[in-house]
């Protein structure tokens, strides 16, 4: 009996030692007690890197915590950057032993990210572009008594420029701290310079200018259905700005994204926007103008396939008549019934008030 208990205890002890040894091997540099130890490790951190699984979540949280620590203590850090024909040589140090240890730790893990192609700060254009070329980057690090020296090089001239721009950006982190870290850093050089952003009118030619952003998030989806609830008025002698916004909606789906996307758009005019749909004669008599300045844009919307409805209740309530409404619009029983029916038909509700 005693021999059996002894064997069970021995097996348990060996198992504990094996687990402890594995844990110590995975902790990396600076994870023990003393200067440079971070806090909050082990919690997942969304938005940093692109790994999956608990191990990666711990790495994300670790790097995030290290980065915040260095930004908080940026005034204690000094940095020298030397540009080389094929990259950079940097020296980053601090007289504070804890900050110096954290600098070495941060560089160790960033070197590992480059070598294993595990991105970080992918919302920042410069960092995203740098990690896209991580295979072509070589990092050599050397710890110093107060920090770390880094040699970062590439055989690709374009990647060399990325490395040099990144080094300058890190120097700005050291100089300014959090205000600089909150910024996006555009890529100042590229293999092919992008064309400058210019406004254009892909469908409605005179109204609703847009810029094309093919790489942006939330691209227009094909077969979208939009119900615009338009109640806002404006000066009687000028185009209602909200009507031009609808033209912009049309142009966004036609040519502001990567590819054109078909969309069904319906506009319901009521409230202060009701009388924008009067024909020229009725509008001129009502507002003492030469004509209705909204009709040209409304007609362009009609030609682009936009359905235009006028609230019959608001129209009569404001002294208008259904036969005074311009021919290419429809008088509905009410804005209420129009909005309810359109949403029941799958249209997304977009108010312009």
């Amino acid at each position: 009996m005693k021999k059996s208990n002894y064997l069970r205890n021995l097996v348990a002890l060996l198992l504990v030692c094996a687990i402890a040894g594995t844990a110590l091997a995975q902790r990396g540099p600076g994870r023990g007690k003393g200067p440079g130890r971070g806090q909050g490790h082990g919690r997942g951190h969304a938005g940093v890197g692109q790994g999956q699984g608990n191990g990666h979540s711990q790495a994300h949280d670790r790097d995030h915590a290290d980065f915040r620590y260095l930004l908080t203590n940026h005034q204690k850090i000094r940095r020298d950057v030397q540009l080389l024909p094929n990259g950079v040589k940097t020296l980053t140090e601090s007289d504070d032993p804890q900050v110096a240890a954290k600098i070495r730790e941060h560089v160790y893990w960033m070197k590992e990210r480059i070598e294993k192609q595990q991105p970080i700060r992918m919302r920042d254009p410069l960092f995203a572009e740098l990690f896209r070329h991580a295979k072509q980057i070589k990092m050599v690090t050397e710890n110093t008594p107060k920090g770390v020296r880094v040699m970062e090089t590439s055989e690709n001239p374009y990647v060399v420029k990325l490395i040099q721009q990144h080094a300058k950006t890190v120097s700005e982190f050291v100089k300014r701290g959090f205000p600089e870290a909150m910024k996006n850093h555009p890529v100042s050089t590229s293999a092919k310079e992008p064309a400058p952003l210019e406004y254009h009118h892909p469908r409605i030619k005179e109204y609703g200018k847009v810029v094309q952003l093919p790489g942006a998030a939330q691209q227009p989806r094909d077969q979208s259905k939009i119900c615009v609830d338009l109640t806002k008025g404006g000066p009687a002698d000028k185009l209602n700005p909200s009507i031009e916004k609808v033209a912009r909606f049309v142009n966004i789906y036609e040519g502001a994204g990567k590819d054109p996307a078909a969309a069904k758009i319906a506009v319901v005019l009521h409230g202060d926007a009701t009388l924008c749909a009067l024909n020229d004669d009725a509008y001129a008599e009502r507002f003492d103008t030469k004509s209705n300045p909204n009709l040209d844009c409304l007609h362009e919307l009609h030609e682009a396939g936009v359905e235009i409805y006028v609230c019959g209740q608001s129209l009569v309530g404001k002294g208008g008549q259904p036969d005074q409404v311009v021919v290419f619009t429809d008088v509905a029983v009410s804005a209420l019934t129009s909005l309810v029916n359109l949403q029941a038909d799958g249209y997304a509700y977009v108010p312009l008030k």
Side-chain angles (χ1 to χ4, degrees):
M1 187 68 177
K2 290 183 179 180
K3 184 176 181 181
S4 176
N5 289 338
Y6 173 78
L7 290 175
R8 282 199 298 268
N9 291 338
L10 180 59
V11 171
L13 178 61
L14 291 173
L15 180 61
V16 169
C17 291
I19 294 173
T22 302
L24 287 171
Q26 292 177 344
R27 291 175 74 174
R31 310 319 295 173
K33 295 180 181 179
R37 184 177 183 182
Q39 297 179 352
H41 303 295
R43 301 189 306 275
H45 177 67
V48 182
Q50 293 181 336
Q52 296 178 352
N54 187 55
H56 283 290
S57 295
Q58 291 178 350
H60 299 166
D61 184 65
R62 173 203 67 216
D63 294 338
H64 178 68
D66 289 351
F67 190 46
R68 287 186 63 87
Y69 179 89
L70 292 172
L71 290 173
T72 301
N73 294 276
H74 73 99
Q75 293 180 329
K76 299 180 181 180
I77 302 172
R78 59 181 176 273
R79 180 172 163 84
D80 178 73
V81 177
Q82 179 183 351
L83 299 183
L84 306 174
N86 62 340
V88 295
K89 180 190 291 185
T90 65
L91 178 63
T92 310
E93 295 184 316
S94 174
D95 293 328
D96 184 319
Q98 186 170 352
V99 176
K102 188 63 71 176
I103 291 170
R104 289 191 289 268
E105 181 179 347
H106 177 69
V107 170
Y108 175 92
W109 292 117
M110 291 306 103
K111 181 175 185 290
E112 185 172 272
R113 281 190 175 277
I114 288 291
E115 292 174 348
K116 294 184 177 180
Q117 299 167 52
Q118 296 175 347
I120 193 171
R121 284 183 65 90
M122 288 298 283
R123 288 182 180 273
D124 189 317
L126 175 58
F127 283 77
E129 185 70 3
L130 188 74
F131 274 103
R132 274 193 283 269
H133 297 81
K135 285 184 178 180
Q136 302 179 63
I137 298 173
K138 180 181 179 181
M139 283 184 69
V140 177
T141 64
E142 176 189 356
N143 288 345
T144 68
K146 295 185 176 182
V148 65
R149 182 178 288 107
V150 178
M151 182 88 72
E152 196 170 0
T153 59
S154 176
E155 296 180 0
N156 184 328
Y158 172 62
V159 180
V160 170
K161 293 180 180 179
L162 288 176
I163 291 171
Q164 293 174 344
Q165 187 180 352
H166 170 261
K168 293 178 181 178
T169 299
V170 173
S171 294
E172 288 299 307
F173 289 164
V174 170
K175 180 180 178 181
R176 303 185 64 229
F178 284 103
E180 187 66 28
M182 295 299 104
K183 293 169 53 179
N184 281 317
H185 299 86
V187 180
S188 62
T189 180
S190 63
K192 181 179 180 181
E193 294 292 338
L197 295 176
E198 296 181 352
Y199 284 108
H200 68 136
H201 299 80
R203 183 66 183 272
I204 308 293
K205 300 303 180 184
E206 300 296 328
Y207 307 99
K209 62 184 181 181
V210 296
V211 295
Q212 188 172 21
L213 300 171
Q218 294 292 349
Q219 291 285 317
R221 293 181 182 176
D222 205 37
Q223 305 304 319
S224 293
K225 301 168 76 174
I226 305 167
C227 166
V228 182
D229 181 10
L230 203 162
T231 62
K232 188 175 181 179
D237 61 343
K238 295 180 180 179
L239 169 64
N240 186 321
S242 292
I243 292 176
E244 184 169 13
K245 283 185 180 180
V246 181
R248 183 170 291 111
F249 296 168
V250 174
N251 284 334
I252 284 173
Y253 277 82
E254 185 68 27
K258 182 179 180 180
D259 298 303
K264 292 183 178 180
I265 300 178
V267 181
V268 181
L269 302 172
H270 62 117
D272 292 338
T274 303
L275 301 182
C276 290
L278 292 179
N279 62 47
D280 275 329
D281 293 341
Y283 191 94
E285 182 179 354
R286 179 67 178 264
F287 295 106
D288 193 24
T289 60
K290 292 182 178 180
S291 61
N292 183 346
N294 300 290
L295 293 190
D296 187 56
C297 187
L298 286 173
H299 185 258
E300 290 294 324
L301 291 173
H302 168 71
E303 290 293 312
V306 175
E307 301 173 14
I308 305 170
Y309 300 100
V310 180
C311 173
Q313 305 304 311
S314 295
L315 178 66
V316 175
K318 291 180 177 294
Q321 297 295 323
D323 60 3
Q324 293 179 324
V325 171
V326 70
V327 68
F328 52 80
T329 67
D330 293 309
V331 177
V333 168
S334 67
L336 172 67
T337 56
S338 300
L339 296 172
V340 169
N341 291 345
L342 287 165
Q343 290 180 82
D345 291 339
Y347 282 70
Y349 176 73
V350 178
L352 289 179
K353 300 180 179 179

